[in-house]
Amino acid sequence: MRIDFNNMLDTAVGEHGITMAEVEAEAAKVPAVHAAMTAKKDEMAWRALPYNQDAIARDITDKGNWINDHFQNFVVLGIGGSALGSKALFTGTKHLRYNELKRAERAGCRFYVVDNVDPDGIQALFDIIDPAETCFHVISKSGNTVETMSQFMIVLHMLKETIGDDFMRNIVLTTDKETGILRNIANAYNMTPYVVPDGVGGRFSVLSPVGLVSAAVLGLDIQMLFEGARKADEKCTKSDLYENPAYMYAMLQTIAMHKGCNISVMMPYADGLANTAEWYAQLWAESLGKQYDLSGEIVHAGQTPVRALGVTDQHSQIQLYTEGPFDKVITFVGVENFDTVMPIPKPPIDVQDASYLEGQTLNKLIASELAATEYAVTQAGKMNMMVTLSELGPVELSEFLFFLEMATAAAGEFLGINAFDQPGVEAGKIATFALMGRSGYEEKAKELSSPKAQNDKFIFEL
């Protein structure tokens, strides 16, 4: 993995770029940031995941083999961090039409992730799979996630109707080691669930059983995932800013925020990385979007992540990025070596305007479009950076994911906020519990049902 930050600087983009004086001023915080990252390492249990899971990795690999031997489909039931990591691993490492391949051409089961409660979306999945031939991985660290529990209850009902008393054979659980509804269900049915370790929040959980069970079912070598993460960790724990890409990423993004760049665009030029950009959106938004800093002062920190896909979004968003406001940082992500080299053949008729393409490749075209877009936004004075992966595989992907986790944690230190809580999410959860009639939330339900002042002139019925 190669990361080039030069286009963040005023020497590349002009007056709206970052000056070396601004770099030096913010870099003065690096010793304190590094000290905090070092002191809090044990609290950030996700940082130990590439090192302390050899035994559980062997068990999960065996479980993945068993699932592939006994089922046709594998479905992840979860939301947020319980689902996004699996989606990133799936499309970031496997054939992009994986489920349509013949069984012999896949690692095993067809693979699906259900991360919403849209009834049409869930029914659409049930229209194409047989629950009796499906293993469901139910993931909720708290064990109380309303969306996941609703999905699970629907699945249990279907399994009981189709296969009877042996329905728990089709279920794998991952939850807290001691508490929560899923833990109680596991105890009632004498199951041994996988555990989300203490100190591993959902958005940092991809290298825990949350994502590793998916990896095993997909036939990925879990040790290769650990290898990539360890490679990133080696670089991202250095104290020197100019040797630590995570600190540099976090520091430059922080300076950009101070300069009014409140939007962080991740734009990979590979279909397989689209879900990685979605995973990043949760990681960056939920970690850094905070009302209060560590001293209790109101700061309203954060940067809105936007997912874009090259080349697709060159035809929908780049006009805004080049000529719109100076409120964005764009992270381009390129891939040097795709699995496929696809030549462009001769045009069907003699057309001079298309003849230049003959004999070239889509590989060169997508690389050229990336370079051209980077040039265009740089010329327009917009800050951007370039991440280049040598290829898409478990080592390269996990190295990238772990780098982003470290950069996010470091950004929290530069901003002086807690990157590991999510009080804004909890407020929405509490309101949902109240609206759904959960016991203990009656006062909140009463508050939500109170009449609201509104102006009918601003309501339209079409």
Side-chain angles (χ1 to χ4, degrees):
M1 184 170 68
R2 183 174 185 267
I3 310 171
D4 187 344
F5 295 108
N6 274 285
N7 289 343
M8 296 293 291
L9 304 177
D10 64 339
T11 50
V13 298
E15 64 175 307
H16 294 282
I18 296 170
T19 67
M20 283 308 298
E22 290 171 319
V23 169
E24 290 167 5
E26 196 70 17
K29 298 179 183 178
V30 170
V33 167
H34 183 69
M37 291 284 287
T38 302
K40 296 177 183 178
K41 185 172 183 178
D42 289 342
E43 299 173 37
M44 304 178 198
W46 51 272
R47 293 174 61 178
L49 296 176
Y51 302 97
N52 65 3
Q53 294 189 105
D54 285 348
I56 193 67
R58 288 191 293 270
D59 179 81
I60 287 175
T61 298
D62 291 342
K63 187 69 172 182
N65 292 334
W66 181 85
I67 290 169
N68 283 326
D69 287 344
H70 290 83
F71 297 98
Q72 295 298 318
N73 313 295
F74 180 80
V75 176
V76 174
L77 301 180
I79 198 165
S82 295
L84 293 172
S86 289
K87 292 171 70 173
L89 290 175
F90 179 36
T91 57
T93 61
K94 307 306 292 186
H95 191 287
L96 290 170
R97 297 290 181 264
Y98 185 83
N99 288 339
E100 285 75 48
L101 294 174
K102 296 178 181 178
R103 174 81 189 216
E105 297 172 320
R106 289 186 265 115
C109 294
R110 288 183 290 268
F111 186 91
Y112 303 95
V113 177
V114 178
D115 60 348
N116 206 342
V117 290
D118 178 341
D120 287 343
I122 292 176
Q123 183 58 53
L125 177 62
F126 292 143
D127 287 341
I128 64 169
I129 67 170
D130 179 355
E133 296 181 345
T134 304
C135 179
F136 296 90
H137 184 197
V138 187
I139 309 169
S140 171
K141 182 175 183 180
S142 69
N144 301 316
T145 309
V146 62
E147 298 89 354
T148 306
M149 287 307 304
S150 299
Q151 296 167 350
F152 186 27
M153 291 163 69
I154 291 167
V155 164
L156 281 182
H157 177 74
M158 296 182 70
L159 289 174
K160 288 179 181 179
E161 286 193 333
T162 55
I163 62 178
D165 293 340
D166 199 25
F167 61 91
M168 291 305 287
R169 177 178 181 271
N170 293 53
I171 300 294
V172 177
L173 301 178
T174 295
T175 189
D176 185 78
K177 65 180 180 181
E178 294 178 350
T179 63
I181 299 172
L182 287 186
R183 171 58 64 174
N184 294 337
I185 291 172
N187 294 341
Y189 287 96
N190 198 30
M191 297 178 66
T192 302
Y194 291 112
V195 171
V196 185
D198 291 339
V200 178
R203 56 190 178 273
F204 293 88
S205 67
V206 62
L207 293 180
S208 77
V210 171
L212 295 182
V213 176
S214 293
V217 172
L218 291 168
L220 300 180
D221 184 337
I222 291 175
Q223 290 301 326
M224 292 180 72
L225 293 173
F226 293 161
E227 177 187 340
R230 289 193 293 264
K231 286 177 65 178
D233 187 48
E234 180 182 352
K235 294 290 180 67
C236 296
T237 52
K238 294 181 180 296
S239 60
D240 188 329
L241 173 66
Y242 293 97
E243 295 182 0
N244 188 320
Y247 288 0
M248 183 64 76
Y249 184 96
M251 186 197 71
L252 293 175
Q253 289 279 23
T254 300
I255 297 172
M257 292 181 217
H258 295 330
K259 292 169 72 71
C261 287
N262 296 317
I263 299 171
S264 173
V265 179
M266 178 166 285
M267 191 169 187
Y269 275 67
D271 287 346
L273 291 173
N275 281 330
T276 296
E278 184 179 4
W279 172 88
Y280 167 78
Q282 186 209 11
L283 178 73
W284 199 247
E286 201 166 85
S287 297
L288 303 184
K290 300 296 160 63
Q291 181 175 1
Y292 299 99
D293 66 13
L294 294 173
S295 66
E297 295 294 319
I298 294 178
V299 291
H300 294 294
Q303 195 181 39
T304 302
V306 171
R307 297 160 282 171
L309 180 65
V311 173
T312 301
D313 286 316
Q314 287 178 204
H315 296 266
S316 66
Q317 298 181 33
I318 288 299
Q319 173 63 34
L320 172 66
Y321 298 169
T322 53
E323 296 192 4
F326 293 85
D327 60 354
K328 303 170 190 68
V329 174
I330 305 169
T331 301
F332 294 110
V333 186
V335 177
E336 284 186 334
N337 301 298
F338 288 87
D339 289 341
T340 304
V341 175
M342 186 166 288
I344 302 172
K346 182 178 181 178
I349 60 174
D350 188 11
V351 182
Q352 185 175 359
D353 288 345
S355 61
Y356 72 96
L357 294 170
E358 181 182 349
Q360 303 202 65
T361 66
L362 289 185
N363 307 63
K364 182 179 179 181
L365 178 58
I366 197 169
S368 298
E369 299 236 28
L370 170 55
T373 306
E374 178 194 28
Y375 170 80
V377 298
T378 302
Q379 289 296 107
K382 307 302 170 61
M383 286 189 283
N384 64 89
M385 61 184 77
M386 178 69 71
V387 178
T388 306
L389 306 183
S390 59
E391 59 185 276
L392 284 184
V395 173
E396 295 75 18
L397 183 63
S398 63
E399 182 179 16
F400 185 39
L401 298 179
F402 199 86
F403 154 73
L404 289 170
E405 289 178 337
M406 291 292 286
T408 301
E413 297 303 327
F414 275 105
L415 291 167
I417 53 96
N418 182 352
F420 304 106
D421 64 356
Q422 50 276 333
V425 176
E426 297 305 318
K429 289 180 180 179
I430 289 169
T432 300
F433 290 153
L435 290 170
M436 292 298 289
R438 183 172 177 176
S439 177
Y441 295 86
E442 291 80 8
E443 287 301 313
K444 179 60 69 173
K446 187 183 300 183
E447 175 190 333
L448 290 165
S449 64
S450 300
K452 299 177 180 63
Q454 59 185 27
N455 188 332
D456 288 343
K457 291 180 180 179
F458 291 88
I459 301 174
F460 293 82
E461 298 283 350
L462 303 183

